[in-house]
């Protein structure tokens, strides 16, 4: 049996308690999380609109330059829409990877904490 005031065990217990308190501390407030999600939503909308506007500009310019009817305008608006959607999907994957990484970090932090029923 170990002595009641073993400094190594007390230090290990203090470290585990500190880790547990840190893991339970809120990372961000709900307002900040909502604000971040709103920023991501606006970023995705901006990417879609930018793709459409660039496609519109290129199509309109080519139609004026070549003297064609709205052939290139329609064609390049379609290309701009496709490019905008592709960029939005890339952003969505980036957000998903960030959430998965945060989840893994939270799980890793909690992995070192023993269950309440474990005893030394």
């Amino acid at each position: 049996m170990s002595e009641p005031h073993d400094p190594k065990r007390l230090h290990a217990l203090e470290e585990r308690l500190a880790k547990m308190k840190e893991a339970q501390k809120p990372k961000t407030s709900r307002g900040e999380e909502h604000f971040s999600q709103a920023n991501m939503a606006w970023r995705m909308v901006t990417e879609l609109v930018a793709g459409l506007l660039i496609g519109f500009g290129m199509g309109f310019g080519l139609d004026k330059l070549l003297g064609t009817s709205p052939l290139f305008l329609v064609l390049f608006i379609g290309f701009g829409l496709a490019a905008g959607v592709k960029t939005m999907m890339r952003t969505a994957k980036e957000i998903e990877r960030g959430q998965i990484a945060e989840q893994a970090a939270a799980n890793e932090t909690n992995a070192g904490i023993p269950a309440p029923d474990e005893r030394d």
Side-chain angles (χ1 to χ4, degrees):
M1 199 141 194
S2 64
E3 56 185 77
H5 299 292
D6 187 13
K8 290 180 184 178
R9 289 187 63 209
L10 288 175
H11 184 65
L13 178 63
E14 288 175 0
E15 286 179 357
R16 287 194 332 224
L17 286 173
K19 284 181 185 179
M20 185 181 290
K21 285 180 183 178
E22 185 67 33
Q24 292 178 351
K25 201 182 297 185
K27 302 290 186 229
T28 59
S29 70
R30 297 296 286 164
E32 290 176 9
E33 181 180 325
H34 177 66
F35 183 69
S36 175
Q37 290 176 352
N39 281 342
M40 288 298 178
W42 275 111
R43 175 182 170 186
M44 293 173 79
V45 168
T46 303
E47 290 169 348
L48 179 63
V49 171
L52 284 169
L53 289 176
I54 291 170
F56 175 81
M58 290 175 67
F60 185 78
L62 282 174
D63 278 338
K64 286 293 182 186
L65 184 66
L66 300 174
T68 59
S69 62
L71 172 72
F72 288 111
L73 181 66
V74 171
L75 185 68
F76 277 88
I77 285 177
F79 287 154
L81 178 65
V85 169
K86 183 177 178 184
T87 306
M88 281 178 50
M89 295 303 289
R90 189 178 316 135
T91 301
K93 285 187 187 277
E94 178 182 319
I95 293 168
E96 184 181 8
R97 279 194 305 264
Q99 289 175 347
I100 289 171
E102 287 176 7
Q103 193 86 136
N107 289 342
E108 183 178 306
T109 303
N110 292 335
I113 301 171
D117 61 341
E118 285 186 26
R119 304 191 185 236
D120 286 1

